[in-house]
């Protein structure tokens, strides 16, 4: 077999992993974020000032926020079930050290600290969990697209061929979910009246970079005969096209239907699409082509997975719009966000019950078709991921109350109680982080140029695969390459952020 066919076989015919392993894996990024925050607070406690060195900030962020994820999806994957416990124990040790080392004059009873925490007011104009969620989806995707080509990356984490729940299967849906959380329809204030189709016109202009990148990827892959998984999207289709068309179709639906009813649109789309899959020959067509022999003759046959999965991804997008609208309701207290987390947790439990029913009576999870079970699975896990980040933020707020003056980037700030005499707003702003950080942060750096980060990761992945025989790489070499690849991507984002450069002009 040629090198191209070897690599294609290496990432094909896989079946994914268990829902439990994926759920445990989702707890790692929030725990890494908690660990980074606790280390910064401990540094402030010991030296009386925040960590101000940009060089050490980048090094700390990379070693704590990124490097553990690289190890957990390669050499430490056999003990994945113990990884959350190990990191959580380390965080508990740091917290214990912070609590025991507080200055004598600042000591107050623990019960009083808990009361102060429950009464604390948070900056209502900023929801750090949304920013961190979107950045970490990008980071995990960037790790996965290169790591999957190395033998140290477990095959169960890669995308499943037809049915199954691989980590990378979730990544695709989570990318769609994260984009919808901050789409124009969500960020637009409800009190602002605009023409009904203004957002649709804006999306026509804003998706052209995705179309351009889609054609760029198509031409480059075909010209250099780069290995590709045909049953993922088809012969000519790719994820850039999916993201562009989903955004455009969602803007059209949101111009027709009330955006606060987008959850109804999402349910109808997903259920109707599943009914058509089960009652017609559409499922057979997606899996085996029009002649039943996996033909790729004609544009629809060649790209059937990418074109028909748009319905499922559109349902995920619309569900995320509803989630975004609910999350941006103004909550300015710890108590308010604890109640919100409880509601989200209840929603997740309902979704997992429905997922069990859907898999038993409709169809197992299939990213290839983006069926009903896949849509429910993605939304449930994305909300779980978000809840973990909210819990992390609240834990860091509690710890900051122990050490006066301490700060953690991309975390809530405790503010003065709101003036009850003024009229309260109804929505918050999700992603504005500039001006709220005491020093540069890798998360805010990636957040500033997310599309560039994703594009750079794709280019670097292609470059590494062209230059290196990834399939036969040794463990030490693999870890070195993955760390250099991610560090280079992060360093570019960090430099751009330090110079306040945003490469977006559309």
């Amino acid at each position: 077999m040629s090198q191209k066919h070897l690599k294609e076989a290496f990432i094909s015919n896989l079946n994914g992993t268990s829902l439990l392993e994926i759920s445990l894996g989702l707890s790692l990024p929030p725990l890494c974020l908690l660990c980074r925050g606790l280390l910064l607070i401990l540094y402030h406690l010991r030296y009386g000032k925040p960590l101000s060195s940009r060089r050490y900030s980048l090094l700390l962020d990379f070693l704590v926020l990124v490097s553990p994820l690289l190890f957990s999806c390669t050499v430490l994957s056999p003990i994945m079930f113990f990884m959350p416990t190990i990191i959580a124990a380390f965080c508990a040790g740091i917290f214990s050290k912070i609590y025991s080392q507080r200055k004598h004059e600042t000591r107050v009873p623990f019960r009083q600290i808990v009361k102060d925490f429950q009464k604390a007011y948070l900056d209502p104009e900023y929801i750090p969990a949304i920013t961190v969620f979107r950045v970490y989806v990008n980071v995990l995707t960037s790790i996965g697209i290169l790591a999957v080509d190395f033998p140290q990356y477990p095959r169960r984490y890669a995308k499943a061929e037809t049915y199954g729940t691989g980590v990378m299967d979730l990544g695709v849906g989570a990318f769609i979910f994260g984009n919808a959380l901050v789409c124009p329809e969500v960020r637009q204030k409800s009190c602002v009246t605009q023409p009904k189709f203004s957002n649709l016109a804006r999306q026509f202009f804003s998706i052209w970079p995705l179309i351009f990148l889609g054609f760029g990827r198509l031409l480059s892959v075909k010209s250099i005969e780069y290995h590709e998984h045909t049953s993922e999207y088809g012969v000519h289709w790719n994820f850039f096209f999916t993201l562009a068309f989903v955004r455009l179709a969602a803007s059209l639906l949101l111009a027709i239907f009330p955006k606060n009813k987008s959850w109804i649109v999402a349910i109808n789309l997903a259920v109707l699409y599943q009914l058509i899959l089960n009652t017609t020959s559409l499922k057979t067509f997606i899996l085996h082509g029009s002649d039943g022999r996996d033909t790729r003759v004609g544009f629809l046959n060649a790209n059937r997975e990418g074109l028909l999965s748009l319905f499922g991804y559109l349902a995920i997008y619309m569900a995320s719009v509803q989630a975004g609208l609910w999350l941006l309701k103004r909550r300015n207290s710890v108590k308010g966000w604890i109640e919100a987390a409880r509601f989200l947790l209840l929603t997740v439990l309902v979704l997992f019950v429905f997922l069990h029913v859907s898999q038993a009576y409709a169809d197992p999870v299939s990213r290839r078709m983006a069926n009903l079970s896949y849509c429910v699975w993605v939304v449930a896990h994305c909300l779980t991921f978000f809840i973990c980040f909210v819990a992390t933020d609240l834990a860091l707020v509690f710890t900051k109350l122990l050490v006066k003056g301490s700060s953690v980037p991309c975390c809530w700030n405790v503010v003065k109680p709101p003036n009850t005499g003024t009229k309260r707003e109804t929505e918050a702003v999700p992603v504005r982080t500039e001006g709220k950080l005491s020093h540069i942060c890798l998360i805010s750096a990636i957040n500033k140029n997310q599309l560039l980060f994703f594009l750079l990761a794709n280019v670097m992945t292609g470059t590494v695969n062209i230059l290196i025989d990834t399939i036969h790489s040794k463990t030490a070499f693999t870890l070195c390459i993955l760390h250099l690849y991610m560090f280079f991507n992060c360093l570019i984002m960090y430099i751009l952020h330090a110079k306040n450069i945003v490469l977006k002009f559309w």
Side-chain angles (χ1 to χ4, degrees), residues 114 117-118 326-327 331 333-351 383-384 386-391 394 412:
V114 173
F117 170 69
Q118 292 174 340
W326 185 81
L327 290 172
R331 298 177 184 87
S333 67
V334 167
K335 185 178 179 180
W337 274 105
I338 290 176
E339 291 174 356
R342 286 174 181 167
F343 178 80
L344 286 176
L345 188 59
L346 179 62
T347 303
V348 167
L349 292 175
V350 171
L351 286 172
L383 290 178
T384 303
F386 184 83
I387 292 169
C388 290
F389 283 125
V390 170
L394 292 175
W412 268 309

XYZ file of all heavy atoms in Angstrom, residues 114 117-118 326-327 331 333-351 383-384 386-391 394 412:
295
model
N -17.769 31.426 53.462
C -18.836 30.812 52.673
C -20.024 31.758 52.537
O -20.609 31.887 51.459
C -19.278 29.479 53.320
C -20.505 28.909 52.603
C -18.138 28.468 53.302
N -19.147 34.464 50.140
C -19.141 33.910 48.777
C -20.561 33.846 48.225
O -20.808 34.225 47.076
C -18.504 32.520 48.802
C -18.646 31.754 47.518
C -17.977 32.152 46.367
C -19.452 30.619 47.458
C -18.100 31.445 45.187
C -19.581 29.902 46.285
C -18.909 30.320 45.141
N -21.490 33.378 49.023
C -22.871 33.261 48.561
C -23.505 34.619 48.275
O -24.377 34.742 47.419
C -23.705 32.511 49.605
C -23.330 31.040 49.740
C -24.067 30.349 50.868
O -24.571 30.997 51.787
N -24.145 29.025 50.816
N -30.356 31.960 26.734
C -30.643 31.731 28.156
C -29.432 32.082 29.018
O -29.567 32.678 30.089
C -31.048 30.276 28.371
C -31.480 29.995 29.779
C -32.699 30.252 30.332
C -30.676 29.425 30.818
N -32.713 29.862 31.652
C -31.486 29.352 31.973
C -29.372 28.961 30.881
C -31.016 28.839 33.177
C -28.900 28.450 32.079
C -29.707 28.396 33.214
N -28.243 31.741 28.565
C -27.035 32.008 29.344
C -26.742 33.495 29.471
O -26.179 33.954 30.477
C -25.823 31.310 28.702
C -25.802 29.783 28.796
C -24.673 29.219 27.965
C -25.665 29.333 30.248
N -27.233 37.683 35.086
C -27.099 37.100 36.422
C -25.859 37.718 37.043
O -24.759 37.536 36.545
C -26.945 35.585 36.340
C -28.132 34.879 35.716
C -27.876 33.388 35.593
N -28.963 32.706 34.906
C -29.051 32.578 33.587
N -28.096 33.094 32.816
N -30.063 31.955 33.043
N -24.895 37.469 40.443
C -24.551 36.982 41.774
C -24.130 35.525 41.715
O -24.480 34.792 40.784
C -25.746 37.123 42.729
O -26.799 36.257 42.332
N -23.367 35.119 42.706
C -22.965 33.716 42.816
C -24.195 32.828 42.935
O -24.288 31.770 42.289
C -22.030 33.528 44.034
C -21.865 32.050 44.367
C -20.681 34.177 43.780
N -25.145 33.265 43.747
C -26.366 32.484 43.953
C -27.105 32.270 42.632
O -27.605 31.173 42.355
C -27.273 33.193 44.951
C -28.511 32.399 45.334
C -29.339 33.143 46.370
C -30.591 32.350 46.725
N -31.429 33.057 47.731
N -27.159 33.326 41.800
C -27.840 33.225 40.509
C -27.192 32.201 39.593
O -27.881 31.431 38.909
N -25.858 32.152 39.594
C -25.165 31.206 38.718
C -25.196 29.783 39.268
O -25.175 28.817 38.503
C -23.734 31.665 38.480
C -23.679 32.623 37.328
C -23.528 33.970 37.363
C -23.828 32.281 35.942
N -23.571 34.508 36.110
C -23.757 33.496 35.209
C -24.013 31.093 35.253
C -23.849 33.526 33.814
C -24.126 31.127 33.870
C -24.043 32.328 33.164
N -25.283 29.638 40.574
C -25.450 28.295 41.153
C -26.809 27.726 40.746
O -26.927 26.555 40.368
C -25.302 28.336 42.686
C -23.844 28.631 43.075
C -25.749 27.015 43.313
C -23.618 28.794 44.563
N -27.838 28.572 40.794
C -29.170 28.142 40.360
C -29.183 27.820 38.866
O -29.815 26.851 38.429
C -30.191 29.232 40.679
C -30.444 29.412 42.172
C -31.353 30.596 42.465
O -31.712 31.313 41.511
O -31.702 30.785 43.648
N -28.471 28.631 38.079
C -28.387 28.377 36.637
C -27.693 27.049 36.359
O -28.126 26.281 35.487
C -27.629 29.522 35.953
N -26.625 26.763 37.108
C -25.900 25.501 36.927
C -26.792 24.311 37.288
O -26.750 23.263 36.624
C -24.640 25.502 37.789
N -27.613 24.475 38.314
C -28.544 23.399 38.695
C -29.555 23.132 37.579
O -29.848 21.979 37.256
C -29.283 23.781 39.979
C -28.441 23.692 41.244
C -29.238 24.225 42.422
N -28.463 24.185 43.662
C -28.816 24.816 44.769
N -29.954 25.506 44.805
N -28.064 24.733 45.859
N -30.076 24.191 36.996
C -31.039 24.040 35.899
C -30.383 23.365 34.697
O -30.980 22.475 34.067
C -31.602 25.406 35.499
C -32.563 25.345 34.341
C -33.880 24.959 34.546
C -32.148 25.656 33.055
C -34.770 24.884 33.482
C -33.028 25.585 31.984
C -34.341 25.203 32.204
N -29.150 23.781 34.378
C -28.433 23.162 33.268
C -28.174 21.683 33.534
O -28.276 20.847 32.633
C -27.110 23.883 33.024
C -27.187 25.257 32.355
C -25.798 25.881 32.279
C -27.792 25.145 30.955
N -27.835 21.366 34.778
C -27.578 19.976 35.146
C -28.836 19.130 34.988
O -28.781 17.993 34.490
C -27.067 19.908 36.586
C -26.558 18.546 37.073
C -25.410 18.062 36.203
C -26.123 18.632 38.527
N -29.982 19.681 35.388
C -31.250 18.976 35.215
C -31.542 18.761 33.728
O -31.984 17.676 33.319
C -32.384 19.774 35.875
C -33.794 19.185 35.759
C -33.854 17.819 36.441
C -34.824 20.128 36.367
N -31.270 19.785 32.921
C -31.462 19.681 31.469
C -30.588 18.582 30.882
O -31.028 17.792 30.032
C -31.129 21.023 30.788
O -31.926 22.062 31.349
C -31.384 20.943 29.288
N -29.345 18.517 31.335
C -28.410 17.486 30.860
C -28.914 16.091 31.206
O -28.863 15.173 30.380
C -26.996 17.729 31.447
C -26.106 16.506 31.230
C -26.364 18.959 30.818
N -29.413 15.917 32.425
C -29.932 14.611 32.838
C -31.108 14.189 31.953
O -31.206 13.022 31.546
C -30.364 14.658 34.308
C -29.230 14.818 35.330
C -29.803 14.978 36.742
C -28.286 13.620 35.285
N -31.988 15.135 31.648
C -33.132 14.846 30.760
C -32.632 14.449 29.376
O -33.128 13.500 28.751
C -34.076 16.060 30.682
C -35.138 15.843 29.598
C -34.744 16.322 32.028
N -31.625 15.165 28.878
C -31.078 14.875 27.554
C -30.438 13.489 27.504
O -30.570 12.764 26.509
C -30.054 15.940 27.159
C -30.620 17.311 26.762
C -29.500 18.330 26.583
C -31.440 17.196 25.473
N -23.274 21.038 27.070
C -23.806 21.669 28.282
C -23.077 21.161 29.525
O -22.809 21.930 30.459
C -25.306 21.396 28.403
C -26.203 22.097 27.379
C -27.664 21.704 27.575
C -26.061 23.622 27.468
N -22.716 19.874 29.538
C -21.927 19.323 30.651
C -20.578 20.015 30.735
O -20.114 20.384 31.819
C -21.722 17.806 30.458
O -22.994 17.159 30.349
C -20.943 17.216 31.628
N -19.836 22.976 29.672
C -20.047 24.350 30.114
C -20.278 24.408 31.626
O -19.745 25.285 32.312
C -21.230 24.966 29.367
C -21.461 26.406 29.689
C -20.744 27.404 29.043
C -22.379 26.786 30.659
C -20.934 28.734 29.338
C -22.582 28.114 30.973
C -21.859 29.093 30.305
N -21.063 23.476 32.154
C -21.317 23.433 33.599
C -20.003 23.275 34.364
O -19.784 23.911 35.407
C -22.281 22.284 33.948
C -23.680 22.567 33.399
C -22.366 22.084 35.455
C -24.614 21.375 33.467
N -19.115 22.437 33.854
C -17.809 22.235 34.508
C -17.014 23.531 34.563
O -16.361 23.823 35.573
C -17.016 21.167 33.762
S -17.678 19.497 33.931
N -17.071 24.321 33.509
C -16.343 25.591 33.491
C -16.978 26.609 34.451
O -16.271 27.396 35.087
C -16.277 26.165 32.081
C -15.273 25.481 31.203
C -15.641 24.942 29.987
C -13.947 25.372 31.593
C -14.706 24.303 29.173
C -13.006 24.744 30.790
C -13.387 24.202 29.580
N -18.308 26.614 34.545
C -18.978 27.496 35.504
C -18.577 27.113 36.928
O -18.271 27.989 37.757
C -20.510 27.420 35.334
C -21.207 28.150 36.475
C -20.935 28.023 34.004
N -18.557 25.809 37.215
C -18.148 25.342 38.544
C -16.703 25.740 38.841
O -16.374 26.144 39.967
C -18.311 23.830 38.633
N -16.593 29.486 39.677
C -17.116 29.746 41.023
C -16.113 29.320 42.095
O -15.951 30.003 43.119
C -18.448 29.023 41.217
C -19.625 29.549 40.381
C -20.856 28.671 40.560
C -19.954 30.997 40.746
N -14.333 35.297 36.694
C -15.197 36.357 37.186
C -14.486 37.257 38.195
O -13.675 36.786 39.006
C -16.418 35.767 37.869
C -17.597 35.582 36.974
C -18.166 36.497 36.145
C -18.373 34.382 36.838
N -19.246 35.951 35.500
C -19.398 34.653 35.903
C -18.307 33.120 37.418
C -20.345 33.714 35.536
C -19.246 32.165 37.054
C -20.246 32.473 36.124
